[in-house]
Amino acid sequence: MIFDKLKKFDIVFDSPEVDSPPVFSSGDVVSGRVILELSGDARVDSLKLHAEGFAKVHWTESRSAGSSTAYTQNYSDEVEYLNRREVLLQADNGEVTVVPAGRHEYPFSFQLPEETLVTSFEGKYGSIRYWVKVKLHRPWATVRKIKKEFTVIEPIDINTPTLLATQAGTKDKMARAWYRNFGQVSVTAKIDRKGYTPGEVIPVFAEFDNSTSRSIAPKAFITQTQTFIARGAMKQKHSIVATLCGDNVSAKCRETWHGRAIKIPPVGPSILQCRIIKVEYMLKVCVDVPGTSNLCLELPLVIGTIPLHPFGSRTSSVSSQYSVNLEWMRLAIPEQPEPPPDYCSVVTEEEAEQCNNTAAQQPADDLSGIMERPLLAFVQEFRFRPPPVYCEIDPNPQLCNIRPRCMTC
């Protein structure tokens, strides 16, 4: 039977690195092979490939309709990003194809859409997936299916003016407990840019002003917010991916962070272009105030895939800009000036001889009609004259032993 003859049925993607799975982006060519291994001759109707990519969301919510009744409402939606079909094996006349025993490889290749795709994602209430599905049709047998996913990462270049802009803000609040005021708490924070990549360190510059009669605890978080949208409803999932804790600020005191470092862990890039799924990041600089709600200042972040270019984009501080400028200055200006080229290497012997003959034909003392001669004639006459002799010794040195003249004399 055909079931006994089919030993292997698999999909293998072409990858430059053997141990790592391939990663694609919009416009890339996805290629690979469908491996079919048979223990004997088999009859096959067709072998078809279907490449798909969808963003899907789904969740349920229970609602009460009275004291004793309740119902469940489903929310779901999807967006299609890829849909391509290809026939790998099929007879032209529609008859059954006899595939001999052994190993057979059927290559496939297709190009992803040029328009912007969405990065692959797995969430609690939705996902963005891309896969290749292959169906093997055989007479008098069930259809065999195999499916293999591949990853799509849309590049986000942080070397853009929007993502290189400084993010800063100020926020304050009055600390109250019941009817009593403890004073005002304020926080001011700034980061050098909006775009970062995983593994980078964000230097946080902040100032915490505690005008209350209690100690406060400053801290900073990097949060991830997953937003799922379906049928006008929205579901969100919040998580903290990195934390930075500071020292307590005593009452009537002030604390300053001079670039406290918080490292971005290996998280997925931001997803901002999908209609039903969004992944956003935020840096929250917060203050825990005893007896009342916390004070939080939010600075938006974008996690990209293309890191900051050291020379093509602006750097993170004024000091680094100054050092880069000095390096370029050292490369542009040599330590010792080079002497000018020799006259013989610039003007050939024929040109010099021609210039001398022209000067000999003109009488030196005959100045009659000099005003009638065009200016270009004077320029051409001095064109190939040798320059003054180069010398590194100053011919007119300053005399240091000359006494200054008294104005009263």
Side-chain angles (χ1 to χ4, degrees):
M1 296 178 62
I2 187 67
F3 291 99
D4 299 329
K5 296 178 181 179
L6 185 60
K7 295 177 58 178
K8 186 175 183 180
F9 189 32
D10 194 11
I11 300 174
V12 178
F13 290 107
D14 294 336
S15 177
E17 300 181 5
V18 180
D19 298 333
S20 62
V23 178
F24 305 95
S25 60
S26 58
D28 288 349
V29 175
V30 181
S31 61
R33 306 177 308 278
V34 176
I35 300 175
L36 184 64
E37 189 172 348
L38 303 172
S39 59
D41 296 347
R43 302 173 64 190
V44 177
D45 287 334
S46 63
L47 185 66
K48 298 180 179 180
L49 178 141
H50 187 195
E52 298 175 287
F54 286 92
K56 297 182 179 181
V57 296
H58 177 77
W59 74 89
T60 59
E61 293 182 2
S62 299
R63 299 183 181 274
S64 176
S67 58
S68 59
T69 60
Y71 67 96
T72 301
Q73 189 169 0
N74 296 322
Y75 294 90
S76 61
D77 199 354
E78 67 177 39
V79 177
E80 181 182 275
Y81 290 104
L82 176 64
N83 189 353
R84 181 181 177 87
R85 299 178 185 271
E86 183 177 346
V87 177
L88 302 180
L89 176 63
Q90 188 175 17
D92 297 335
N93 53 7
E95 296 181 357
V96 177
T97 303
V98 178
V99 181
R103 178 186 174 94
H104 304 273
E105 295 185 359
Y106 301 93
F108 64 87
S109 177
F110 60 90
Q111 186 177 13
L112 297 177
E114 292 288 347
E115 58 267 16
T116 303
L117 297 177
V118 181
T119 300
S120 301
F121 170 76
E122 290 291 332
K124 183 177 181 180
Y125 304 106
S127 62
I128 303 173
R129 297 173 181 172
Y130 301 86
W131 63 85
V132 171
K133 183 188 300 182
V134 178
K135 295 181 180 181
L136 177 62
H137 297 265
R138 299 154 297 172
W140 307 102
T142 58
V143 178
R144 287 292 299 269
K145 302 177 183 179
I146 54 173
K147 179 180 176 181
K148 197 163 190 178
E149 295 187 10
F150 60 92
T151 303
V152 171
I153 296 181
E154 273 304 295
I156 301 178
D157 189 359
I158 68 172
N159 298 281
T160 58
T162 303
L163 300 184
L164 292 177
T166 302
Q167 305 297 306
T170 302
K171 199 170 184 179
D172 54 54
K173 69 172 295 183
M174 185 65 67
R176 294 186 179 93
W178 295 95
Y179 57 87
R180 182 181 176 185
N181 293 336
F182 295 106
Q184 183 171 297
V185 178
S186 63
V187 55
T188 302
K190 184 194 74 170
I191 56 177
D192 292 337
R193 46 191 163 94
K194 184 178 181 180
Y196 289 88
T197 53
E200 280 193 285
V201 173
I202 303 177
V204 182
F205 300 87
E207 183 177 271
F208 307 92
D209 190 1
N210 182 16
S211 299
T212 68
S213 57
R214 298 183 176 184
S215 297
I216 60 175
K219 57 184 63 177
F221 307 95
I222 297 178
T223 62
Q224 181 195 73
T225 302
Q226 301 176 7
T227 305
F228 307 90
I229 304 170
R231 297 173 53 188
M234 184 174 62
K235 196 80 170 178
Q236 287 188 330
K237 181 179 181 298
H238 303 275
S239 59
I240 297 176
V241 299
T243 306
L244 171 64
C245 297
D247 300 329
N248 290 344
V249 182
S250 303
K252 309 298 180 181
C253 292
R254 180 178 298 175
E255 176 71 15
T256 303
W257 286 0
H258 299 284
R260 295 287 296 272
I262 180 171
K263 188 175 182 180
I264 303 175
V267 294
S270 300
I271 300 177
L272 307 174
Q273 305 299 328
C274 184
R275 179 174 60 85
I276 60 176
I277 296 178
K278 295 185 183 298
V279 178
E280 300 169 298
Y281 294 89
M282 193 81 65
L283 175 65
K284 294 185 178 182
V285 183
C286 304
V287 176
D288 290 341
V289 184
T292 184
S293 60
N294 298 337
L295 172 64
C296 284
L297 174 64
E298 297 181 349
L299 301 177
L301 292 176
V302 172
I303 303 301
T305 59
I306 301 177
L308 181 69
H309 195 280
F311 297 104
S313 305
R314 79 171 201 179
T315 49
S316 59
S317 63
V318 177
S319 60
S320 58
Q321 291 182 6
Y322 182 71
S323 62
V324 170
N325 292 336
L326 286 182
E327 290 297 327
W328 280 106
M329 187 179 297
R330 295 190 188 100
L331 294 175
I333 302 177
E335 296 181 358
Q336 295 181 357
E338 298 180 357
D342 193 10
Y343 177 73
C344 298
S345 62
V346 178
V347 180
T348 61
E349 296 181 359
E350 292 78 5
E351 292 174 337
E353 185 177 357
Q354 182 181 0
C355 179
N356 294 333
N357 295 336
T358 304
Q361 294 176 2
Q362 179 69 25
D365 298 331
D366 186 11
L367 300 179
S368 60
I370 190 172
M371 300 303 297
E372 287 78 7
R373 295 175 60 186
L375 180 61
L376 182 60
F378 293 99
V379 176
Q380 294 294 333
E381 184 174 331
F382 291 92
R383 182 178 178 183
F384 299 113
R385 296 293 177 88
V389 180
Y390 174 76
C391 182
E392 295 185 358
I393 301 176
D394 191 356
N396 301 312
Q398 296 182 0
L399 301 179
C400 300
N401 55 357
I402 299 178
R403 297 178 58 184
R405 185 175 180 181
C406 181
M407 298 301 296
T408 58
C409 297

